[in-house]
C-alpha cells in the first residue's frame, strides 16, 4: 500500500504550490511500477490525469488539448520504466530509472508542446528553441527525480530494518 500512499502524496504536492518545480511525480510513478502489478496502474493514471484536468481547467482556467493524452501515456511509460526494477532495484538501477524518467519526460513533453502548441515555429529551430526554453523546468524535474526516487525506494528497506530492530529489542528485553 506504500505505492498508493506515494501516488496520493505526489498528486497532493502537485496541487499545492511547489517551489522550484520540485514534485515526487516521477518517483511515485517509478515506485508504483516497480511495486504494484500492471493491472493496478489505472489508479495512478486516473489520479494524475484528474489532477491535470483540475489544474488546467480550474486553477489555470485553460482548455484541455490533445497533448494531455501524450502526458498521460508518459505516466504509463514511467510506470513501465519502474516495472524494469521489479526483480532488482539496486541503487544504480534506481538512479538509472530516475534519469530515464526525467529525460524521457523532458523530451516527450516538450516535443508535444512544440508539435501541438503555437508558441514555437514548426521547424527544427523552433523545436530547439522549445527545448532550450524548457531547461529551467527540466532542472526541477531532474532534481526531483534524483532526490525523491532514491528516498521512496529506500523507505521499504528502512521500515523493514526498523521492524527487525524492534523485534530484536523485544527478544532481548
Amino acid at each position: 500500500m506504500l505505492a498508493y500512499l506515494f501516488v496520493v502524496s505526489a498528486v497532493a504536492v502537485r496541487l499545492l504550490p511547489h517551489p522550484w518545480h520540485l514534485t515526487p511525480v516521477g518517483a511515485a510513478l517509478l515506485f508504483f511500477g516497480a511495486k504494484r502489478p500492471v493491472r493496478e496502474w489505472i489508479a495512478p493514471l486516473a489520479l494524475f490525469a484528474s489532477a491535470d484536468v483540475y489544474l488546467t481547467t480550474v486553477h489555470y482556467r485553460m482548455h484541455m488539448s490533445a497533448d494531455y493524452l501524450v502526458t498521460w501515456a508518459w505516466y504509463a511509460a514511467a510506470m513501465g520504466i519502474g516495472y524494469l526494477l521489479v526483480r532488482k532495484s539496486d541503487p544504480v538501477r534506481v538512479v538509472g530509472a530516475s534519469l530515464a524518467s526525467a529525460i524521457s519526460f523532458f523530451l516527450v513533453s516538450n516535443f508535444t508542446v512544440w508539435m501541438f502548441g503555437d508558441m514555437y515555429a514548426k521547424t527544427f529551430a523552433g523545436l530547439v528553441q522549445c527545448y532550450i526554453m524548457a531547461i529551467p523546468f527540466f532542472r526541477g524535474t531532474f532534481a526531483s527525480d534524483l532526490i525523491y526516487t532514491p528516498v521512496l525506494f529506500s523507505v521499504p528497506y528502512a521500515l523493514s530494518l526498523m521492524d527487525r530492530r524492534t523485534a530484536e529489542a523485544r527478544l532481548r528485553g
Side-chain angles (χ1 to χ4, degrees):
M1 298 316 281
L2 203 51
Y4 284 98
L5 176 64
F6 290 157
V7 165
V8 169
S9 298
V11 169
V13 168
R14 283 214 49 227
L15 297 175
L16 298 171
H18 42 276
W20 305 295
H21 196 63
L22 293 173
T23 67
V25 172
L29 289 166
L30 290 171
F31 189 86
F32 200 95
K35 303 300 182 183
R36 303 305 306 167
V38 175
R39 69 179 179 275
E40 295 181 22
W41 289 8
I42 192 70
L45 288 173
L47 286 170
F48 282 114
S50 297
D52 289 343
V53 170
Y54 169 78
L55 287 168
T56 301
T57 61
V58 176
H59 186 73
Y60 297 116
R61 299 185 190 281
M62 296 170 57
H63 297 285
M64 298 296 297
S65 57
D67 57 330
Y68 282 93
L69 297 174
V70 176
T71 300
W72 300 338
W74 179 83
Y75 293 157
M79 287 186 285
I81 294 168
Y83 185 75
L84 298 174
L85 300 172
V86 166
R87 293 199 175 129
K88 189 172 185 184
S89 59
D90 61 68
V92 172
R93 287 175 184 249
V94 169
V95 170
S98 176
L99 290 171
S101 172
I103 292 167
S104 67
F105 183 74
F106 176 77
L107 293 173
V108 169
S109 64
N110 290 296
F111 182 82
T112 303
V113 166
W114 172 76
M115 178 65 99
F116 292 106
D118 58 1
M119 293 173 57
Y120 304 101
K122 300 295 186 254
T123 62
F124 181 72
L127 178 61
V128 170
Q129 181 185 16
C130 179
Y131 282 120
I132 290 170
M133 297 303 289
I135 289 172
F137 299 102
F138 178 59
R139 289 183 198 139
T141 302
F142 187 75
S144 294
D145 286 356
L146 285 179
I147 292 166
Y148 286 116
T149 303
V151 169
L152 297 190
F153 276 84
S154 297
V155 168
Y157 175 75
L159 291 173
S160 70
L161 189 61
M162 288 171 38
D163 280 347
R164 192 171 7 157
R165 299 267 168 110
T166 302
E168 289 171 1
R170 284 186 192 141
L171 289 174
R172 280 185 265 142

